[in-house]
Amino acid sequence: MCGLVGVVGKSDVAVCLYDTLTVLQHRGQDAAGIATSDNGKLNLRKDNGLVKDVFRTRHMERLAGNMGIGHVRYPTAGSSSPALAQPFYVNSPYGLSLAHNGNLTNAAELSRDLFKEDLRHINTDSDSEVLLNVFAHELQLLAKMVPSPEDVFTAVRGVHRRCRGGYAALVMLGGYGIVGFRDRNGIRPLVFGKRERDGFTEYMMASESVALRWCAMSLRAKRYMSIFSAIFTPACARAQRNIPPASLNTSTLPALIR
């Protein structure tokens, strides 16, 4: 059992991610990590230990960005090496970071296929790294310079087709957004919520609703993601450009696939 959180906000989200991981600490005490995206640049801090021990002031100051994901780990697959702390990262395509809760029952088979057929190298014995590379390969097959929500959902369908087991995952596409999805049977939990802040809508996905309440996400907007679904929340670069929300295209709002 691990804890996940992802936030797309108006301003820096590192403190919100940190606070949320502390209330999800019961889901994993082995390691903790946060990855943020600052205008497409990845900032990452992860290590073994509790949340309060992994993150110091100097680390938080470097985690700039209005979009990010966080993870607390309870080791169910692989060792307890710091190399297995999450989020995991691959640079292609788009710079992807993943936080994962669950287990893949066909991880060994997938790892072999990724190496022999997809030409991707797996550096650890973590099934989370396998899941990330499956998603990355499915997305790269589309060969798009800028991914659309439907492109992201196509990659999720590929993950559902190839990966067996129970899992919930958050994947951050550097500079583009965060997608959250569950396994085909909905075994692992993932909840979605939003809040209004200074005329701007911020979004969160997490393992438990306590994370939403902690960050004052609207309970009326809160809901558990349905089985075999995915939600893609695009990045909020518009907030940094001070563009009035009323002028925004509706394609910037979260998209849902069932």
Side-chain angles (χ1 to χ4, degrees):
M1 181 174 72
C2 298
L4 315 177
V5 60
V7 178
V8 175
K10 181 179 181 181
S11 56
D12 286 349
V13 298
V15 173
C16 178
L17 290 169
Y18 175 92
D19 290 343
T20 303
L21 289 180
T22 62
V23 300
L24 294 175
Q25 185 74 85
H26 61 281
R27 297 187 65 89
Q29 300 84 39
D30 185 71
I34 291 175
T36 60
S37 178
D38 185 18
N39 290 319
K41 177 185 177 182
L42 177 76
N43 302 299
L44 176 64
R45 166 63 181 170
K46 60 178 183 176
D47 203 353
N48 281 1
L50 300 175
V51 174
K52 67 181 181 65
D53 298 322
V54 171
F55 301 101
R56 302 296 185 182
T57 300
R58 65 182 182 276
H59 303 131
M60 299 301 295
E61 290 174 345
R62 298 168 188 162
L63 292 171
N66 68 325
M67 174 175 67
I69 59 176
H71 186 271
V72 287
R73 180 173 187 255
Y74 178 87
T76 56
S79 66
S80 294
S81 165
L84 272 67
Q86 297 185 41
F88 278 110
Y89 170 77
V90 292
N91 69 324
S92 180
Y94 314 117
L96 303 177
S97 304
L98 171 136
H100 165 236
N101 171 38
N103 298 94
L104 301 184
T105 58
N106 62 333
E109 174 189 337
L110 288 170
S111 182
R112 182 176 61 252
D113 291 345
L114 284 167
F115 179 74
K116 292 184 176 181
E117 299 177 14
D118 301 344
L119 304 181
R120 284 185 169 268
H121 174 70
I122 304 299
N123 195 52
T124 70
D125 57 354
S126 170
D127 58 352
S128 301
E129 187 181 10
V130 171
L131 179 63
L132 173 58
N133 277 273
V134 170
F135 178 86
H137 177 73
E138 294 296 323
L139 192 57
Q140 193 162 30
L141 287 176
L142 302 176
K144 297 289 187 67
M145 181 64 70
V146 178
S148 68
E150 185 54 40
D151 295 331
V152 175
F153 295 153
T154 298
V156 172
R157 292 187 187 100
V159 171
H160 285 157
R161 185 181 66 253
R162 297 178 65 180
C163 297
R164 297 195 301 270
Y167 54 86
L170 298 175
V171 180
M172 180 170 67
L173 291 72
Y176 292 106
I178 297 175
V179 60
F181 57 91
R182 304 171 68 193
D183 63 87
R184 299 176 63 147
N185 299 307
I187 296 173
R188 302 292 181 172
L190 201 60
V191 65
F192 170 79
K194 63 181 180 179
R195 70 180 176 187
E196 300 298 324
R197 181 183 176 193
D198 299 328
F200 184 82
T201 305
E202 298 182 319
Y203 300 94
M204 175 184 282
M205 287 177 277
S207 297
E208 298 182 14
S209 59
V210 64
L212 274 62
R213 292 196 296 270
W214 186 261
C215 290
M217 293 286 174
S218 171
L219 293 178
R220 287 176 297 179
K222 181 193 69 178
R223 67 183 185 84
Y224 284 91
M225 290 174 57
S226 61
I227 295 175
F228 204 51
S229 70
I231 292 178
F232 179 65
T233 306
C236 303
R238 57 186 184 273
Q240 299 174 352
R241 298 197 301 265
N242 296 318
I243 299 176
S247 68
L248 302 176
N249 189 286
T250 55
S251 64
T252 60
L253 298 178
L256 171 67
I257 178 177
R258 293 186 183 276

